[in-house]
Amino acid sequence: MLSYLVYLSERKPNCTEQEIEKILAACNRNNEKFDITGVLLYSEKQFVQYLEGEYREIFQLYDKIKDDDRHKNIVLINSSPAKERIFPSWQMGAKKVDFNSVEYKTHMSLEEQREFRQILSGNESNKALSLMKKFFK
């Protein structure tokens, strides 16, 4: 069943920009085999990642991600069946963001901005998917 998940984690100091490039290269190399797509928002201190694909595949990948020593305190924010892919051609799109001073270049209401701050603090949000999409419009 087509599904998605969103998780948040803390980026460890050993996760340099070169390590981010390695992560993205591995995504581009491996995710197509398992029909997984998604996006990664990251800052100097945090990751927020959205994965979409078959339920079993994305949760197997999530289990591997939880064992990656480049981050810690991994929190599953949201997971649900999906009607369609939001990022069908991206093995892993990425964007570096300063989560402390996010500049919303697309329209995000004050409520959406509050929801995004809640996601970053590790609180579950039913709007996680729609907020992730706005960063890539």
Side-chain angles (χ1 to χ4, degrees):
M1 169 189 319
L2 183 63
S3 301
Y4 74 90
L5 69 79
V6 179
Y7 75 86
L8 171 74
S9 66
E10 291 178 40
R11 182 176 170 182
K12 287 182 164 180
N14 69 323
C15 188
T16 63
E17 291 299 315
Q18 291 80 16
E19 290 299 315
I20 298 288
E21 292 302 318
K22 288 179 186 177
I23 290 168
L24 296 173
C27 291
N28 287 327
R29 199 172 45 250
N30 298 322
N31 287 358
E32 187 173 11
K33 287 186 259 185
F34 300 103
D35 200 22
I36 294 172
T37 55
V39 295
L40 174 68
L41 295 177
Y42 65 97
S43 72
E44 294 298 321
K45 297 184 184 222
Q46 285 184 291
F47 291 107
V48 179
Q49 188 167 31
Y50 169 88
L51 299 170
E52 59 190 6
E54 288 300 312
Y55 178 89
R56 190 172 132 216
E57 299 294 343
I58 62 172
F59 274 91
Q60 285 178 347
L61 177 57
Y62 179 61
D63 287 340
K64 288 180 185 177
I65 288 168
K66 290 187 294 187
D67 290 334
D68 190 320
D69 71 349
R70 293 172 285 199
H71 63 160
K72 63 182 180 178
N73 299 329
I74 300 150
V75 177
L76 182 64
I77 298 296
N78 201 338
S79 175
S80 181
K83 292 180 185 173
E84 62 184 7
R85 289 178 188 266
I86 304 303
F87 303 103
S89 61
W90 294 8
Q91 265 58 59
M92 194 51 55
K95 185 181 266 190
K96 185 173 184 178
V97 178
D98 178 356
F99 290 130
N100 294 317
S101 62
V102 174
E103 182 179 338
Y104 301 99
K105 294 194 178 213
T106 57
H107 174 71
M108 290 184 83
S109 70
L110 292 175
E111 175 65 19
E112 289 173 322
Q113 292 176 31
R114 186 187 68 73
E115 286 277 336
F116 188 69
R117 284 190 300 276
Q118 287 216 324
I119 290 170
L120 294 178
S121 66
N123 296 318
E124 184 175 340
S125 170
N126 291 327
K127 295 184 180 181
L129 171 60
S130 65
L131 293 174
M132 292 291 286
K133 287 171 24 181
K134 289 198 176 224
F135 277 91
F136 289 89
K137 281 190 174 181

